[in-house]
Amino acid sequence: MEEKYDFARLEEKWRRRWEEADLYRCVEDEERPKKYILVMFPYPSGPAHMGHVANYNLGDVLARYLRRRGMNVLHPMGWDGFGLPAENAAIRSGVHPSKYTWGNIALLKEGLQRLGYSYDWSRELATCDPEYYRWTQWFFLKFYEKGLAYKALAWANWCPSCRTVLANEQVVGGRCERCDTLVEQKALSQWFLRITAYAERLLSDMDQLSGWPESVLTMQRNWIGRSEGCEVTFRVKETGQEIPIFTTRPDTLWGVTFFLLAPEHPLVDELTEGTPYREDVEAFRERLKGVSAIERTSLETEKDGVFLGVHAVNPVNGEEVPIWTANFVLMEYGTGAVMAVPAHDQRDFEFARKFGLPIRVVIRPPDGELRPEEMTEAYVDPGIMVDSGPFEGLDSEEGRTVRVPDYLEEHGWGRRAVNYRLRDWLISRQRYWGVPIPIIYCSRCGMVPVPEEDLPVLLPEDVEFVFEGPSPLERSEEFRRTTCPRCCGEAERETDTMDTFVDSSWYYLRYASPHDKERPFDPRAVRYWLPVDQYIGGIEHAIMHLLYSRFFTKVLKDLGLVEFDEPFTNLLCQGMVVMGGAKMSKSKGNVITPESFIETYGADTLRLFILFLGPPEADKEWNDAGIEGAHRFLHRVWRLVHRYLNILTFKTQPVPEDAEVLKRLSHLTHRTIKKVTEDIERFAFNTAIAAIMEFTNGLYREMEECPDAFNTFEGHEAVRTLILLLAPFAPFITEELWEEVGGEFSVHQQPWPEYDPRLARSERITMVAQVDGKVRDRIEVDADITGEEMERVALSSPRVRKNLEGREIARVVVVPGKLVNIVTR
């Protein structure tokens, strides 16, 4: 029997034993209820860091717990292998992205294995493996066939540092979310996925997501940005061209005094070509370079613009108003054109004041008047319609929602419409290390999809990595030049690769049958395992990965490939591990790796310490000052179990006849089972650990007072329960201790302890026993204990008796339900 807690030896021992036993492999079993527990897979940028430990601890505790509650648990791991960092590393150091990525996968996998996570490694996958990205390309072709993948000329977010376009969701505060470089606008021919076709379903199906945090749902609702209003058609007086606009305020149409186009709107060039106004437009666009969309639309930004020399005709009154281009109008919102009503829109108001444009009031407050020359800000509230043709004196809300839309539709000037802030998902990336888009361009046949039997389109290994100039694939003649699948003539491949979020939009499906060579997944396996029961990941993915995955799932259902609408039934958004206020990540240069802590304290200590730092959803500022405490606790558990084993060998005294100690042991055991069970169910892992620590302290107290009580059923149950409850949090030490107390292999396959509700009742209280006002003991008793019984229990306490030796009791003061104070002479 080994008294020393040699964590290094036992962790190596049990890692090997678990691998030999294939302990965590899972298969479909229709006889057992399933649980699919998934933590967002990592990008392999290097060894594991504390952010990984914090995240993956959560899923592992839950998976271990649910297995022991009789569930058939799928808990897989894989790698988000494609991405820009690997390519940038190739440029900096000459290491090929493939070598860089697979090397980091090996490092990260080793780190996760050292931490003892209970993954089914037989299901491991990597998105950069041709076996995987073949099916990403296959999905692209299915989207293309359905009209959901298309190529179009569009203004795109261009990161000059990463030299690639970014989706709107990857621009944070006007900067690249990866490298923090100011994003520019660039007109490029790009590939899109038509997520807008699913905007309404993405909104309405949120009713199914009762297990998601409301904060995530709110972010998605705001990003989709549904608005009800009218689409109204204005006409360019000089050319006759029609320009549709979307407005949520059709009641203000009679207040239009000018018309605005986004600087990127194609009509800006058409209307100013060959005119004196073209020079002003170019100068204006030059001023906007490097200014983000966030800055342009901010209320604090100074309004700027230029007149285009033409006029728009308002359909409701025939008025001709000047057309300008303005900095706060964006091509990606609405139609890129805006009717300007300065009296009732603050940005229009500021623009009109700056450039001396007319302001006309068409909505007055219910109890007053407005004079344009006296206004200091726009009036945006409901009121009474004035100077509004046939709607003079009408309540503006009735005009906005009913009367004016009816009027527009009757005259053919407009129609009711719903608009979304959401824009189609731009997936083109002008980079090498990503999934090649399976499209071929032929001078005779046009755009031709790669035949399914020719998938995957493989990335060439021999390419040049430099920061300047075209992307590596565009420079690769070997890759670019090919044969048309239709006419067999000369053709060229698409050289853009897909956004890595496409790879991660379906990986959770692949885990059900990760090595299927004939299809992306086995429908039978997906029907058994999916949807994911508990998904765990950062809230920073709310409007990227989580929204894209929902979109992907809905498309796959429409294609008849899956039977469910939503991929993730429940979602837990864990907080970040931060250091100096910044998220811990390699790109931030503030990574703390777990290796040195595992070498010094062991994996169990590190797991326990990070779980104990706070609730899962809270950010955790890294500070290793408390790790010694977690290590001391595991030593206390180790010593307690070995003291128990020694007691079993050397019996010293019989159990007291009244067996009060046994009652206390039973109550303590069953209350702890109840507390830890409930805390795990609600992800309060830190308080579950605290309860186990209190349980350990209680067992030490009882063992000191009556060692032989641990020779009883109650004593055996208490010690074994301690090991069983601690096992999901500290899997190595508990496996060793379980073996030493004679438990059957493995502790992680033992049923979760059940509590007796009668013994776990919370109607137990802690009674304080004092001698002359000084606390000498704390004793757990029934809440309905009588004063007489409180006195008897206090006087029978070994600690109290020891402090009364040689002293005479003068009186006993009992405070019911709280304390007993024994006063001596």
Side-chain angles (χ1 to χ4, degrees):
M1 191 180 304
E2 185 175 350
E3 295 291 343
K4 183 177 181 294
Y5 172 36
D6 183 356
F7 58 81
R9 182 197 63 80
L10 68 90
E11 287 177 7
E12 172 59 31
K13 166 187 171 180
W14 290 111
R15 274 196 304 273
R16 187 173 62 253
R17 285 280 300 278
W18 294 338
E19 186 177 353
E20 289 169 355
D22 211 3
L23 192 66
Y24 304 119
R25 181 186 288 271
C26 64
V27 295
E28 293 79 51
D29 182 353
E30 298 293 345
E31 301 301 315
R32 296 169 62 199
K34 68 90 181 178
K35 286 290 181 182
Y36 185 174
I37 308 302
L38 183 62
V39 183
M40 292 181 185
F41 64 173
Y43 175 74
S45 58
H49 57 67
M50 293 306 174
H52 293 124
V53 180
N55 295 352
Y56 297 130
N57 275 351
L58 305 177
D60 194 58
V61 169
L62 190 59
R64 290 180 179 279
Y65 166 75
L66 289 171
R67 288 190 192 99
R68 293 173 54 198
R69 295 302 299 262
M71 303 293 178
N72 188 23
V73 176
L74 172 58
H75 186 41
M77 177 49 64
W79 319 103
D80 194 6
F82 280 127
L84 196 57
E87 190 163 341
N88 285 345
I91 294 168
R92 286 192 304 270
S93 60
V95 178
H96 193 280
S98 178
K99 183 177 181 182
Y100 171 88
T101 301
W102 288 106
N104 282 337
I105 285 174
L107 284 173
L108 188 47
K109 181 176 180 178
E110 181 185 7
L112 299 186
Q113 288 177 322
R114 287 199 71 182
L115 286 156
Y117 295 136
S118 58
Y119 299 129
D120 179 355
W121 285 108
S122 71
R123 295 175 184 264
E124 180 184 7
L125 60 81
T127 61
C128 57
D129 186 336
E131 187 180 84
Y132 181 91
Y133 73 73
R134 167 191 180 183
W135 300 111
T136 302
Q137 292 172 340
W138 185 85
F139 283 128
F140 175 90
L141 294 178
K142 295 302 175 189
F143 278 53
Y144 183 77
E145 291 169 11
K146 194 174 171 62
L148 295 173
Y150 66 94
K151 195 170 190 181
L153 181 67
W155 287 89
N157 303 305
W158 176 263
C159 175
S161 174
C162 297
R163 298 194 64 77
T164 187
V165 298
L166 307 172
N168 290 337
E169 296 85 345
Q170 292 166 311
V171 180
V172 180
R175 296 178 176 273
C176 173
E177 55 99 19
R178 166 149 291 280
C179 71
D180 206 38
T181 300
L182 201 62
V183 171
E184 301 173 357
Q185 293 295 303
K186 202 170 188 180
L188 295 166
S189 183
Q190 301 288 290
W191 281 97
F192 294 85
L193 295 184
R194 207 180 299 275
I195 191 173
T196 53
Y198 286 76
E200 193 59 41
R201 280 172 62 182
L202 288 167
L203 277 174
S204 61
D205 287 356
M206 287 184 192
D207 292 343
Q208 302 178 34
L209 302 179
S210 58
W212 283 42
E214 186 56 38
S215 57
V216 173
L217 299 180
T218 298
M219 290 170 72
Q220 289 201 4
R221 285 191 193 99
N222 291 341
W223 190 258
I224 295 169
R226 187 182 193 276
S227 301
E228 293 185 8
C230 288
E231 187 177 277
V232 185
T233 302
F234 283 66
R235 179 173 50 83
V236 180
K237 175 196 170 187
E238 288 78 3
T239 66
Q241 290 165 293
E242 293 185 343
I243 313 177
I245 61 97
F246 174 82
T247 178
T248 59
R249 295 295 306 273
D251 54 319
T252 66
L253 268 162
W254 285 262
V256 176
T257 59
F258 55 99
F259 195 89
L260 299 172
L261 294 174
E264 303 86 5
H265 200 295
L267 270 181
V268 173
D269 286 332
E270 287 185 41
L271 296 174
T272 59
E273 184 68 38
T275 72
Y277 300 96
R278 186 53 176 265
E279 188 176 336
D280 291 342
V281 168
E282 295 301 334
F284 172 59
R285 284 175 172 167
E286 192 64 31
R287 294 199 296 273
L288 288 182
K289 278 190 173 178
V291 182
S292 71
I294 298 292
E295 291 172 294
R296 281 172 55 182
T297 55
S298 170
L299 289 174
E300 286 73 41
T301 299
E302 184 180 358
K303 306 305 175 278
D304 194 9
V306 295
F307 177 46
L308 302 183
V310 288
H311 301 79
V313 180
N314 187 336
V316 300
N317 57 16
E319 285 192 3
E320 299 167 8
V321 296
I323 301 178
W324 290 60
T325 181
N327 59 345
F328 60 90
V329 183
L330 302 180
M331 192 62 208
E332 62 225 57
Y333 297 116
T335 64
V338 172
M339 65 176 208
V341 186
H344 307 294
D345 180 277
Q346 185 59 30
R347 290 181 301 184
D348 295 348
F349 180 85
E350 293 172 16
F351 192 89
R353 279 283 193 254
K354 178 173 179 177
F355 293 103
L357 295 165
I359 297 175
R360 180 187 302 154
V361 173
V362 292
I363 308 289
R364 68 167 176 81
D367 56 354
E369 300 293 333
L370 286 177
R371 299 181 186 278
E373 64 275 12
E374 296 175 357
M375 293 175 69
T376 58
E377 62 181 4
Y379 177 75
V380 297
D381 295 326
I384 307 300
M385 295 178 68
V386 295
D387 292 336
S388 299
F391 302 107
E392 186 74 21
L394 183 68
D395 176 82
S396 66
E397 281 299 285
E398 184 181 351
R400 181 181 67 83
T401 59
V402 181
R403 298 284 297 279
V404 176
D406 287 347
Y407 182 71
L408 292 170
E409 290 179 343
E410 286 168 11
H411 289 80
W413 294 331
R415 62 181 181 85
R416 285 176 171 83
V418 174
N419 190 54
Y420 298 93
R421 180 180 183 269
L422 181 69
R423 288 293 171 263
D424 282 337
W425 175 12
L426 191 158
I427 65 164
S428 288
R429 296 295 179 268
Q430 292 71 44
R431 307 296 299 198
Y432 164 81
W433 193 236
V435 179
I437 294 174
I439 292 291
I440 290 170
Y441 301 98
C442 173
S443 59
R444 280 186 286 184
C445 304
M447 192 182 294
V448 183
V450 172
E452 289 181 16
E453 60 269 21
D454 291 345
L455 298 180
V457 177
L458 295 170
L459 285 170
E461 290 289 319
D462 186 17
V463 292
E464 184 184 7
F465 297 100
V466 293
F467 269 119
E468 298 301 322
S471 70
L473 289 182
E474 196 172 337
R475 291 194 305 271
S476 172
E477 291 289 313
E478 179 187 352
F479 176 81
R480 195 160 48 84
R481 299 198 178 281
T482 187
T483 301
C484 174
R486 289 182 184 165
C487 71
C488 298
E490 291 185 359
E492 292 193 357
R493 292 191 187 279
E494 172 64 70
T495 56
D496 282 357
T497 53
M498 294 187 218
D499 176 11
T500 56
F501 280 108
V502 179
D503 310 331
S504 60
S505 290
W506 71 279
Y507 79 108
Y508 46 89
L509 291 158
R510 183 67 174 172
Y511 280 133
S513 52
H515 307 300
D516 196 318
K517 297 186 183 303
E518 303 302 319
R519 53 204 165 177
F521 46 76
D522 178 349
R524 182 187 60 82
V526 164
R527 195 175 301 116
Y528 177 79
W529 288 115
L530 274 291
V532 174
D533 295 283
Q534 183 64 61
Y535 201 33
I536 301 171
I539 197 170
E540 67 270 21
H541 294 298
I543 56 172
M544 290 189 284
H545 165 63
L546 290 169
L547 188 62
Y548 297 154
S549 297
R550 294 184 61 220
F551 163 55
F552 236 78
T553 301
K554 293 179 190 310
V555 175
L556 298 193
K557 184 181 183 185
D558 290 349
L559 291 169
L561 297 173
V562 300
E563 299 174 358
F564 47 89
D565 284 299
E566 293 289 342
F568 314 121
T569 303
N570 297 288
L571 174 67
L572 171 64
C573 287
Q574 90 287 337
M576 298 182 292
V577 177
V578 297
M579 192 173 182
K583 176 184 177 181
M584 190 177 287
S585 68
K586 189 173 181 182
S587 63
K588 301 290 184 186
N590 62 353
V591 165
I592 302 291
T593 59
E595 279 77 9
S596 62
F597 294 95
I598 293 175
E599 294 293 336
T600 306
Y601 301 104
D604 280 337
T605 294
L606 184 57
R607 288 173 57 122
L608 207 66
F609 168 63
I610 289 188
L611 285 166
F612 195 57
L613 282 178
E617 63 275 9
D619 287 349
K620 301 162 186 67
E621 181 72 37
W622 175 255
N623 183 340
D624 57 18
I627 198 166
E628 287 279 1
H631 198 52
R632 285 194 299 270
F633 166 67
L634 290 180
H635 274 279
R636 280 174 58 76
V637 171
W638 182 267
R639 289 194 300 271
L640 176 82
V641 173
H642 284 87
R643 188 183 298 186
Y644 158 77
L645 292 171
N646 287 334
I647 289 168
L648 293 182
T649 306
F650 307 103
K651 297 184 180 181
T652 55
Q653 62 184 40
V655 179
E657 285 186 11
D658 64 6
E660 184 64 32
V661 64
L662 301 185
K663 285 177 62 179
R664 291 201 302 270
L665 276 175
S666 288
H667 280 295
L668 180 60
T669 299
H670 286 263
R671 278 202 314 280
T672 304
I673 295 171
K674 181 175 186 291
K675 169 69 172 166
V676 173
T677 301
E678 291 174 349
D679 282 355
I680 290 177
E681 292 278 357
R682 63 188 182 93
F683 307 119
F685 300 141
N686 57 322
T687 56
I689 293 169
I692 296 171
M693 290 176 171
E694 292 174 12
F695 185 33
T696 304
N697 293 338
L699 294 183
Y700 263 105
R701 284 197 301 270
E702 300 300 346
M703 194 173 285
E704 288 168 2
E705 291 183 15
C706 188
D708 210 44
F710 285 80
N711 278 308
T712 63
F713 168 82
E714 291 83 355
H716 299 332
E717 180 187 41
V719 173
R720 291 166 73 90
T721 296
L722 172 62
I723 299 170
L724 292 169
L725 293 180
L726 183 58
F729 306 98
F732 293 107
I733 188 173
T734 50
E735 189 77 276
E736 182 76 7
L737 292 174
W738 185 251
E739 182 181 66
E740 293 196 4
V741 299
E744 179 183 333
F745 178 78
S746 151
V747 69
H748 303 298
Q749 293 181 319
Q750 304 308 308
W752 185 256
E754 299 287 344
Y755 62 85
D756 182 333
R758 181 181 56 84
L759 295 173
R761 282 186 311 174
S762 60
E763 289 84 8
R764 296 281 288 179
I765 60 170
T766 300
M767 182 190 82
V768 175
Q770 298 177 337
V771 175
D772 293 330
K774 294 183 178 179
V775 176
R776 297 304 181 187
D777 202 357
R778 288 182 171 85
I779 307 165
E780 293 204 348
V781 296
D782 290 332
D784 57 357
I785 190 171
T786 65
E788 209 172 82
E789 289 172 324
M790 286 177 67
E791 182 176 336
R792 182 185 61 77
V793 170
L795 289 171
S796 65
S797 163
R799 294 179 179 176
V800 170
R801 288 202 305 271
K802 183 177 180 181
N803 279 275
L804 287 175
E805 287 177 3
R807 303 162 76 176
E808 184 181 349
I809 299 174
R811 66 182 190 281
V812 177
V813 179
V814 176
V815 179
K818 292 186 177 179
L819 64 83
V820 176
N821 184 25
I822 302 164
V823 183
T824 64
R825 298 185 192 281

